[in-house]
């Protein structure tokens, strides 16, 4: 009897907690119509007889009882706008009778409890997810297995993140695998959503513009701050400070802050070296704003003045970047842009005597010219550009010590990377606020900034 009373009390408390108001700190993020329209597009394309399941990422352990900061799977975020862990979306184009109502979509998510509010913070919960994000229906994630197993389907389509094993998401994935047994495979859902993500909506473009502007501002502050004798991590810290101060929830990717020889290492990110007189500093760093990441690189001399050799190579990379950006127009293929950029870089290095023929350019330029940006820093992009595509243009030259050229070129590593919006007309450089020309960089570097001010003791 006592047990029944206690259970009853728990149920009442849980119901009260679930019905609580959910504090919305960033109302701009709530675009129920936009997310609903994305789900409707996918449902139409899935067609009759297919049920689709979209899982978000698992929580991943970092060490002992510390987890990595949670970030949802981008396909899941694209369709839901729901940022919490332990969630799944089921799409049922044919409809399914749930509590007397025909629904074509169900979000499964955590339910807030007194315990979770005390220890973990706010949880939106099913009711608020319906109210704020516009889902037709939402249920506690503990009901996932029982509900899914009742939904009839001939075909199943899945968007499961890579390595979904840990925790609740891993268990949900096992239920999904059991559910799909004996059913046919529906359309490839991950590919379908990736295709939908290639062209950005006006709102997504606004978010990418903001991410790029914040990132450009951080590059400006870095140019003002850097001096010989500083450590790479001091500049790394400055970027992170600017991103967070301007409202980014996170970095889009680990900042690459490579000076001297480190500027020639494509994915260097330990950022521990002391910078010296005469070094170039290559920084590839950008913030993620409301889920959308920019991707911006600038290269500048630590002492504020390019050497003649640094400048000669820089001008070639800048020419390639400028021509590449000018080509970012509807109807142009990415192959055309990539080929033209390689040619310009090769011809420039031939002129300087660093290589002897165009086919040697791979020695010093070993990556693609660019990629889409969006919810992922490497986001999908179509092979032929159309208005609404946002992509990077990022030529670079990396000459390691010991390369087969005059040693005066060694340890020059340069990349210039901007984020470009394709429109009906001219391309728009979203990251143009960070100086790109030698003259503009050297002028800005005469200023001091927030990043090299000494700390002041308070006593
Ligand atoms: N920051 C990674 C890239 O430029 O692709
Ligand atoms: Mn990039
Ligand atoms: Mn980059």
């Amino acid at each position: 009897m006592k047990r029944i009373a206690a259970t009853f009390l728990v149920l009442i408390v849980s119901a009260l907690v679930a019905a609580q108001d959910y504090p919305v700190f960033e109302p701009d993020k709530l675009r129920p119509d936009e997310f609903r329209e994305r789900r409707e597009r996918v449902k139409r394309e899935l067609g009759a007889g297919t049920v689709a399941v979209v899982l978000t990422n698992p929580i991943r352990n970092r060490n002992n009882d510390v987890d990595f900061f949670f970030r949802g799977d981008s396909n899941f975020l694209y369709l839901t706008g729901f940022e919490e862990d332990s969630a799944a979306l089921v799409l049922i184009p044919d409809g399914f009778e749930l509590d007397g109502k025909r629904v074509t979509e169900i979000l499964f998510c955590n339910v807030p409890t007194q315990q979770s509010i005390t220890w973990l913070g706010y949880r939106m919960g099913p009711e608020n997810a319906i109210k704020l994000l516009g889902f037709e229906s939402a249920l506690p994630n503990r009901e996932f297995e029982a509900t899914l197993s009742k939904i009839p389907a001939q075909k199943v389509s899945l968007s499961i993140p890579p390595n979904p094993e840990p925790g609740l998401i891993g268990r949900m994935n096992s239920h999904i695998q059991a559910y799909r047994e004996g059913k046919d495979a529906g359309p490839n859902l991950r590919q379908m959503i990736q295709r939908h993500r290639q062209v950005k909506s006006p709102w997504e473009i606004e978010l990418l513009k903001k991410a790029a502007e914040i990132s450009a501002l951080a590059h400006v502050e870095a140019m003002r701050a850097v001096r010989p004798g500083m450590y790479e991590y001091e500049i790394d810290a400055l970027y992170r400070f600017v991103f967070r101060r301007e409202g980014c929830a996170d970095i889009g990717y680990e900042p690459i802050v490579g000076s001297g020889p480190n500027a020639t290492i494509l994915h260097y990110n330990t950022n521990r070296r002391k910078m010296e007189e005469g070094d170039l500093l290559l920084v590839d760093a950008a913030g993620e704003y409301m889920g959308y990441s920019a991707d911006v690189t600038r290269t500048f001399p630590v002492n504020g003045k390019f050497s003649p050799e640094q400048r000669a190579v820089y001008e070639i990379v800048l020419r390639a970047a400028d021509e590449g950006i000018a080509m970012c127009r509807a109807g142009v293929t990415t192959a055309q842009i990539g080929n033209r950029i390689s040619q310009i870089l090769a011809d420039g290095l031939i002129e300087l005597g660093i290589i002897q023929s165009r086919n040697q350019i791979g020695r010093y330029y070993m990556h693609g010219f660019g990629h889409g940006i969006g919810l992922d820093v490497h986001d999908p992009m179509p092979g032929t550009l159309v208005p609404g595509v946002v992509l990077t243009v990022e030529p670079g030259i990396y000459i390691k010590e010991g390369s087969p050229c005059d040693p005066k070129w060694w340890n020059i590593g340069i990349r210039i990377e901007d984020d470009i919006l394709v429109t009906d007309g001219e391309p728009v450089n979203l990251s143009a606020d960070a100086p790109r020309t030698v003259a503009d960089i050297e002028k800005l570097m005469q200023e001091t900034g927030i990043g090299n001010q000494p700390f002041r003791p308070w006593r």
Side-chain angles (χ1 to χ4, degrees):
M1 184 64 192
K2 242 192 200 159
R3 220 164 82 215
I4 294 174
T7 312
F8 191 58
L9 192 67
V10 167
L11 285 176
I12 291 180
V13 169
S14 310
L16 284 176
V17 170
Q20 261 188 0
D21 278 343
Y22 172 80
V24 177
F25 298 121
E26 293 168 296
D28 279 1
K29 267 190 191 167
L30 302 174
R31 297 278 172 137
D33 293 346
E34 172 133 2
F35 292 114
R36 200 180 299 120
E37 195 277 321
R38 293 177 192 173
R39 292 194 294 276
E40 290 308 320
R41 224 182 322 140
V42 169
K43 284 183 229 171
R44 278 198 298 276
E45 203 172 323
L46 285 170
T50 302
V51 167
V53 189
V54 188
L55 268 190
T56 197
N57 280 325
I59 297 171
R60 296 189 193 280
N61 181 257
R62 181 174 183 273
N63 56 299
N64 192 18
D65 54 356
V66 177
D67 293 330
F68 283 104
F69 186 73
F70 179 75
R71 184 2 173 108
D73 173 76
S74 296
N75 280 350
F76 181 84
L77 291 173
Y78 181 74
L79 292 184
T80 63
F82 188 78
E83 295 182 324
E84 293 174 25
D85 59 275
S86 308
L89 172 72
V90 178
L91 299 175
I92 317 144
D94 289 345
F96 174 65
E97 185 93 357
L98 184 71
D99 300 332
K101 186 181 156 204
R102 185 185 167 275
V103 299
T104 61
E105 57 186 32
I106 311 172
L107 175 81
F108 292 88
C109 63
N110 279 324
V111 177
T113 62
Q114 289 295 1
Q115 165 107 345
S116 72
I117 290 172
T118 300
W119 285 87
L120 301 170
Y122 304 106
R123 293 284 177 271
M124 194 180 270
E127 286 174 41
N128 286 318
I130 292 171
K131 238 190 291 171
L132 299 173
L133 288 168
F135 295 100
E136 280 178 10
S137 69
L139 291 173
N141 51 17
R142 62 173 176 267
E143 294 179 29
F144 180 73
E145 182 183 11
T147 310
L148 182 65
S149 63
K150 286 189 210 125
I151 302 174
Q154 283 137 36
K155 292 185 249 171
V156 177
S157 292
L158 302 177
S159 175
I160 308 283
N163 310 316
E165 289 78 25
L168 182 66
I169 289 291
R171 293 198 292 282
M172 287 167 119
N173 187 35
S174 304
H175 302 323
I176 292 166
Q177 299 310 326
Y179 174 69
R180 83 199 288 209
E181 253 175 54
K183 301 181 176 83
D184 293 335
N188 185 322
L189 185 59
R190 272 188 97 74
Q191 272 178 19
M192 185 194 298
I193 302 172
Q194 300 263 326
R195 184 160 30 78
H196 293 186
R197 286 170 49 192
Q198 287 178 348
V199 180
K200 272 59 186 178
S201 71
W203 182 50
E204 288 180 295
I205 290 168
E206 279 310 304
L207 298 181
L208 281 167
K209 183 165 178 273
K210 181 86 177 170
E213 284 171 0
I214 293 170
S215 304
L217 182 61
H219 283 281
V220 167
E221 282 304 327
M223 288 181 196
R224 287 191 173 120
V226 72
R227 300 284 180 273
M230 287 174 82
Y231 285 85
E232 292 165 347
Y233 53 73
E234 294 179 68
I235 298 300
D236 176 320
L238 177 58
Y239 280 86
R240 292 174 197 258
F241 170 73
V242 174
F243 299 157
R244 287 293 270 153
R245 190 180 121 162
E246 295 303 305
C248 290
D250 211 336
I251 45 175
Y253 51 93
E254 287 300 316
I256 296 167
V257 185
S259 62
N262 296 338
T264 68
I265 303 172
L266 297 180
H267 289 163
Y268 172 81
N269 64 11
T270 43
N271 305 345
R272 307 289 315 164
R273 181 177 174 272
K274 190 174 192 172
M275 295 178 276
E276 292 172 8
E277 177 68 34
D279 285 345
L280 277 181
L281 176 63
L282 182 157
V283 185
D284 184 343
E288 183 182 285
Y289 185 78
M290 291 204 195
Y292 283 76
S293 182
D295 187 4
V296 183
T297 308
R298 289 293 183 268
T299 309
F300 38 102
V302 164
N303 65 8
K305 191 118 188 85
F306 286 87
S307 73
E309 289 77 21
Q310 290 167 349
R311 183 186 180 129
V313 180
Y314 190 92
E315 296 289 8
I316 291 165
V317 178
L318 184 62
R319 200 179 318 142
D322 285 344
E323 275 212 36
I325 291 170
M327 288 176 78
C328 290
R329 292 169 170 276
V332 176
T333 67
T334 53
Q336 286 171 322
I337 302 172
N339 290 340
R340 183 69 192 125
I341 283 180
S342 291
Q343 273 174 9
I344 295 169
L345 294 174
D347 292 347
L349 293 201
I350 291 170
E351 228 170 89
L352 296 180
I354 295 173
I355 57 175
Q356 285 68 51
S357 63
R358 277 184 173 177
N359 60 15
Q360 290 171 344
I361 188 61
R363 262 184 216 167
Y364 303 116
Y365 172 55
M366 29 332 233
H367 55 72
F369 86 88
H371 50 84
I373 55 169
L375 286 164
D376 290 319
V377 66
H378 291 165
D379 220 50
M381 136 173 110
T384 301
L385 300 184
V386 294
V389 169
V390 185
L391 75 162
T392 68
V393 173
E394 51 177 303
I397 292 291
Y398 314 91
I399 310 176
K400 284 195 182 303
E401 191 168 333
S403 297
C405 60
D406 190 322
K408 71 180 181 178
W409 304 111
W410 290 356
N411 291 329
I412 291 180
I414 295 168
R415 176 163 67 256
I416 306 170
E417 177 173 29
D418 283 282
D419 299 340
I420 310 303
L421 167 66
V422 181
T423 71
D424 285 329
E426 297 293 314
V428 181
N429 185 347
L430 304 180
S431 46
D433 288 350
R436 303 167 73 253
T437 66
V438 166
D440 284 349
I441 290 172
E442 290 185 345
K443 179 160 177 262
L444 175 63
M445 290 188 75
Q446 289 171 18
E447 299 179 12
T448 50
I450 56 172
N452 54 3
Q453 302 299 317
F455 290 130
R456 288 173 300 125
W458 74 284
R459 293 182 219 272

